[in-house]
Amino acid sequence: MLNDRYTVKYRGHLLIMDVTDQGLRRPVKVARLMQPDKPLPNLELLDPHIVWANDGKFTLAGFERTTNAEGKVVEFAQSWLCALDLALSEPEADTRNVRPMRS
């Protein structure tokens, strides 16, 4: 969950992984907030690192990449305040490959 006083809350699954960046021509670590109702990640942080962590919350710092009004790709420093959602999630509806346990 991303939240601060200037933005709305974003809920989703946070994935941190290495990807190949064609613009930089090197592997890059990215943090992506995947939202179940959207097929593609709408929030991505490049070269993320944990700045602070405590009591189920942490701050990721890195760079966001966007295209400006002139069509140029620009990157700017960004931090995400993340909070773990410890509530139990709904069980998966798709149970095709699950066999019932024998008693």
Side-chain angles (χ1 to χ4, degrees):
M1 179 171 62
L2 298 181
N3 183 20
D4 67 17
R5 63 182 167 208
Y6 301 110
T7 62
V8 296
K9 292 182 182 180
Y10 293 96
R11 288 178 118 33
H13 299 281
L14 181 65
L15 300 173
I16 300 175
M17 65 185 125
D18 288 329
V19 298
T20 302
D21 188 308
Q22 297 301 320
L24 297 176
R25 294 190 175 100
R26 67 175 172 90
V28 175
K29 187 170 296 298
V30 297
R32 292 179 177 164
L33 184 69
M34 307 294 289
Q35 295 175 302
D37 55 342
K38 297 183 181 177
L40 297 174
N42 63 346
L43 297 172
E44 185 173 82
L45 197 62
L46 301 169
D47 292 328
H49 60 278
I50 296 176
V51 176
W52 170 86
N54 190 12
D55 199 25
K57 297 179 182 173
F58 60 96
T59 303
L60 282 177
F63 298 92
E64 282 195 28
R65 183 181 290 160
T66 188
T67 304
N68 65 11
E70 295 143 4
K72 295 182 182 177
V73 175
V74 295
E75 294 178 356
F76 56 94
Q78 179 74 344
S79 294
W80 293 354
L81 174 60
C82 304
L84 299 176
D85 185 1
L86 301 176
L88 293 174
S89 61
E90 294 291 325
E92 294 284 329
D94 185 9
T95 56
R96 289 178 290 186
N97 295 326
V98 177
R99 288 186 239 163
M101 293 182 61
R102 296 181 185 167
S103 350

